[in-house]
Amino acid sequence: MDKDLISNDGANLDFAQLLAALAATATTRRRLLQAGLGSAALSFFGLPAMAAPTGRPGIGFTAISISSDDIVRVPDGYSVQLLYAWGDPISDGPAFRADAGNSASEQAEQAGMHHDGMHFFPWVEDGKPSSTHGLLCINHEYTDDGLLHPDGMADWSHEKTRKSQNAHGVSVIEVELKESGSEFRWQLVRPSRYARRISARTPTRIAGPAAGAPGMRTGDDRRGNVVFGTLANCAMGHTPWGTYLSCEENFDGYFNGLVEPTADQKRYGIRANGAGFRWHEYDRRFDVASEANEANRFGWVVEIDPWKPAQAPVKRTALGRFKHECATLTLASDGRVVVYMSDDQAFEYLYKFVSSDRFAAGDAASGGHLLDVGTLYVARFDADGKGRWIALQHGQNGLDEASGFADQADILIRTRQAADLLGATKMDRPEWLAVDPQSGEVYCTLTNNRKRVSADAANPRAGNAFGHIIRWREEQADAAAAAFDWDVFVLCGDPENPDPAKRGNIKGDAFASPDGLWFDPAGRLWIQTDVSGSVANRGDYQRLGNNQMLVADVASGEIRRFLTGPKACEITGISATPDARSLFINVQHPGEAAGGRSSPSAPLAGSGWPANQFAGVTGGRPRSATLVIRRADGGVVGT
């Protein structure tokens, strides 16, 4: 997937005013947010609103060095266990074949490719969440068809299309910590009545304001309320009513677009041949000339109830359509649901959704419907360290028939175009978002944007090769507020780079291209990186090694390296048990080839992981996988 493509090449209505304000300001004001204020957001575990924090635990491990080795490395005193790799059966299904010879039907019962966002849902035992038994929901973002089939993309067929589609989507697996010899190890429960694969072929319900809209209807679905599948599942979120939110990101790459796309198709990057998946050759849904509206049915947040394996996933259209990286949910001071979301492409926007109704803990009727009715907003970051949320609501802020939007469904299907009209701030590839459990501050990774020519306050470097992390505090510490204060938490970079603009201001261990982001229950911020395999360990990145995971103390600003991954991988997908003694992470696309597709004649050219690190693991190809990290003494990870 080429994430350097730009679909937003227009100037927002008041962008010129922002540039003028920047030019008139000798030094851009950096409002530093005050640490230690109380949060009005409620915890998902039914706790009352937090008072002002009395302090945070520090970072309790010795940092490890940068690495370019083809293994996963962690600090002394920690163990790494391989739990679930591409091709592993989700329950009692077929085993992975080293030559990639599994059929499409077998792939539908196995772990998909390219593990990404993930969340652990604990079993509830005696009224308490378990830290030894639960369900893991894991996204499978895309496929490397050079590895997925024995002969790669040669002689493309209906069977290969089905297998590729079945390797996308989401895994739901049941996992348990059990004694094994002299130690405790996590393992899949097989068989499990909860285990299932949701793929690009799974019937999925469409809900919310865009359900049934003319733009959602197709020849196969004249009502516009059911779509087959979810794909490009990147990051995620989870809800206080126990469901998983999987986010559809680079959906455009699966469609064979028109040679001369419409303005709306161009705005979402839909182009001839897409990213070369070739699904359209055997599934006409993915050929825009055959079915113009099918692309409108992707790019949504998908809600999955892991506890109800027979229940269809639901696409929640009130949350807008764009290249969703994540959907981070919190609660406003009055109990309304707030979902923070990002559009992962250069010069795209940050959004939030505020429900109309309140979440009622313990009320069985309070749940997913809250994501169907509410207001979607887009963010504007001003040069004075202030920001505001602008409603993407029909009849407000000039969004009406006169400006080209027929109704609210039209705004939600064409969310990017509506945000353009309102002058939202173009960001440097906004990715994961995380809410500080103590202060309520919201943090967002901005991975990089080499194509930025003009800096602005929130994106302060032109040619931003290394990325940064931004944060904001909502007015009155209320997640539903219309205004906020913001600052830049850290500028990433290499402190030894000869160019001062590329050194960053990291207080601690160097890193670049921040992506995954997660707060542990104690308030430590975990940061995962995604430096492209095309630049890793060379040029400006030659001193930064493989992708890594770090921990930040947001009070002091210190950042310490905890983990390094194998060659050409991305470190992503982080979650933990309630007691924080088991940490789950994902290693995606080890050995990633330039262009994203490996040669089937040399599958191990880029990496031999995980078989080169873990005994008894079937090799033959590099495999994305879920890992469990634990302290040798069983203590809290990170302390």
Side-chain angles (χ1 to χ4, degrees):
M1 295 288 190
D2 185 353
K3 293 189 177 184
D4 287 332
L5 289 173
I6 297 174
S7 299
N8 191 359
D9 56 4
N12 293 346
L13 288 179
D14 48 2
F15 191 60
Q17 296 175 337
L18 176 59
L19 292 180
L22 286 169
T25 304
T27 57
T28 301
R29 180 184 178 200
R30 294 276 182 263
R31 287 178 58 98
L32 294 177
L33 301 171
Q34 297 297 315
L37 296 181
S39 170
L42 301 177
S43 144
F44 283 1
F45 301 104
L47 299 176
M50 286 192 175
T54 57
R56 298 173 186 262
I59 303 172
F61 60 88
T62 301
I64 65 172
S65 62
I66 283 169
S67 171
S68 57
D69 297 336
D70 195 28
I71 60 172
V72 171
R73 297 170 61 250
V74 292
D76 290 340
Y78 284 86
S79 65
V80 180
Q81 179 198 341
L82 181 71
L83 179 66
Y84 182 66
W86 161 47
D88 284 347
I90 59 171
S91 186
D92 53 357
F96 175 73
R97 288 181 52 175
D99 65 352
N102 292 107
S103 68
S105 296
E106 289 175 330
Q107 176 63 79
E109 299 178 57
Q110 298 172 321
M113 267 192 140
H114 292 0
H115 300 39
D116 208 315
M118 169 175 58
H119 187 71
F120 177 79
F121 291 88
W123 221 265
V124 176
E125 299 171 351
D126 298 325
K128 297 180 180 180
S130 172
S131 289
T132 61
H133 189 194
L135 303 180
L136 265 178
C137 290
I138 303 168
N139 286 348
H140 301 291
E141 186 180 9
Y142 65 102
T143 54
D144 178 346
D145 287 290
L147 297 177
L148 185 64
H149 318 285
D151 59 349
M153 300 195 75
D155 300 321
W156 194 254
S157 65
H158 176 65
E159 172 73 4
K160 287 186 174 182
T161 300
R162 287 180 59 238
K163 185 175 182 182
S164 182
Q165 291 176 339
N166 286 341
H168 285 69
V170 178
S171 285
V172 181
I173 56 174
E174 184 178 350
V175 294
E176 192 168 12
L177 182 65
K178 287 193 171 184
E179 190 169 5
S180 176
S182 60
E183 60 181 348
F184 284 88
R185 293 178 62 82
W186 284 88
Q187 56 189 262
L188 269 69
V189 176
R190 295 185 173 111
S192 169
R193 67 187 182 92
Y194 295 97
R196 64 168 163 160
R197 278 297 322 285
I198 295 162
S199 74
R201 303 174 62 83
T202 302
T204 302
R205 187 164 64 89
I206 300 171
M216 299 290 277
R217 300 172 193 163
T218 66
D220 294 328
D221 177 25
R222 298 186 182 278
R223 294 184 178 182
N225 59 10
V226 176
V227 59
F228 284 102
T230 180
L231 49 77
N233 304 84
C234 198
M236 32 47 74
H238 63 102
T239 71
W241 50 90
T243 61
Y244 184 68
L245 303 179
S246 184
C247 297
E248 298 179 327
E249 190 196 23
N250 292 309
F251 67 92
D252 57 301
Y254 296 86
F255 289 87
N256 178 40
L258 306 175
V259 174
E260 295 184 5
T262 66
D264 286 339
Q265 292 165 355
K266 184 178 179 181
R267 184 65 184 85
Y268 281 90
I270 297 171
R271 60 200 187 279
N273 298 317
F277 280 97
R278 299 180 66 178
W279 290 3
H280 66 282
E281 296 177 25
Y282 291 91
D283 189 341
R284 67 177 183 82
R285 293 186 300 144
F286 295 93
D287 182 39
V288 172
S290 300
E291 186 49 79
N293 284 346
E294 187 70 16
N296 293 342
R297 292 143 66 86
F298 294 89
W300 304 99
V301 173
V302 184
E303 185 175 20
I304 298 165
D305 191 333
W307 304 103
K308 297 178 181 178
Q311 187 176 93
V314 183
K315 298 196 178 186
R316 299 292 182 186
T317 64
L319 304 185
R321 174 176 167 263
F322 43 89
K323 295 184 182 181
H324 284 271
E325 175 71 22
C326 72
T328 299
L329 194 148
T330 189
L331 298 178
S333 58
D334 62 1
R336 284 181 293 164
V337 172
V338 177
V339 187
Y340 292 105
M341 298 169 288
S342 52
D343 188 347
D344 183 9
Q345 197 166 4
F347 301 113
E348 294 302 338
Y349 309 127
L350 282 164
Y351 299 85
K352 81 172 178 182
F353 169 85
V354 181
S355 68
S356 295
D357 294 331
R358 302 175 183 180
F359 169 68
D363 181 358
S366 183
H369 70 279
L370 294 173
L371 302 180
D372 288 338
V373 182
T375 303
L376 183 66
Y377 300 86
V378 68
R380 169 66 182 271
F381 292 81
D382 293 323
D384 62 354
K386 297 286 188 180
R388 54 195 172 96
W389 295 103
I390 310 171
L392 294 164
Q393 190 70 27
H394 195 258
Q396 299 181 25
N397 301 314
L399 297 175
D400 51 27
E401 291 187 60
S403 60
F405 294 93
D407 52 25
Q408 186 62 20
D410 195 15
I411 290 173
L412 296 171
I413 294 170
R414 299 191 296 134
T415 302
R416 282 183 167 182
Q417 295 90 319
D420 292 342
L421 187 65
L422 300 188
T425 301
K426 296 180 177 181
M427 307 298 285
D428 285 348
R429 274 194 61 198
E431 300 232 30
W432 289 51
L433 295 121
V435 178
D436 188 328
Q438 294 194 22
S439 71
E441 292 171 355
V442 187
Y443 288 67
C444 177
T445 49
L446 300 167
T447 292
N448 55 50
N449 183 4
R450 296 175 181 83
K451 296 185 179 181
R452 179 173 288 279
V453 175
S454 300
D456 62 36
N459 304 276
R461 293 187 290 190
N464 183 9
F466 294 106
H468 57 289
I469 299 175
I470 199 167
R471 64 180 170 183
W472 64 88
R473 174 182 291 280
E474 301 279 13
E475 192 173 63
Q476 303 298 317
D478 184 357
F484 56 89
D485 293 331
W486 67 268
D487 76 336
V488 174
F489 174 63
V490 65
L491 293 172
C492 305
D494 175 6
E496 298 181 25
N497 195 295
D499 182 349
K502 295 179 178 180
R503 294 173 188 165
N505 62 359
I506 300 168
K507 185 179 178 181
D509 295 323
F511 68 102
S513 295
D515 190 339
L517 204 62
W518 175 75
F519 273 101
D520 66 25
R524 285 176 290 264
L525 180 63
W526 295 73
I527 304 166
Q528 300 171 315
T529 71
D530 183 19
V531 176
S532 170
S534 64
V535 299
N537 291 297
R538 63 188 69 135
D540 284 335
Y541 293 85
Q542 63 183 328
R543 287 177 292 271
L544 296 180
N546 297 343
N547 278 304
Q548 55 186 294
M549 182 166 69
L550 311 98
V551 182
D553 180 336
V554 297
S556 68
E558 180 191 3
I559 298 176
R560 201 176 295 181
R561 186 178 301 108
F562 179 83
L563 175 149
T564 57
K567 292 181 178 179
C569 80
E570 171 187 346
I571 300 299
T572 184
I574 182 169
S575 188
T577 52
D579 65 4
R581 296 174 187 272
S582 294
L583 186 70
F584 303 95
I585 72 150
N586 285 326
V587 174
Q588 188 185 107
H589 61 65
E592 180 186 36
R597 288 192 176 89
S598 301
S599 169
S601 63
L604 297 174
S607 171
W609 193 89
N612 65 339
Q613 183 172 0
F614 299 99
V617 178
T618 302
R621 279 137 216 271
R623 301 166 65 187
S624 297
T626 299
L627 303 177
V628 188
I629 300 169
R630 287 172 55 82
R631 270 179 43 170
D633 64 3
V636 173
V637 177
T639 59

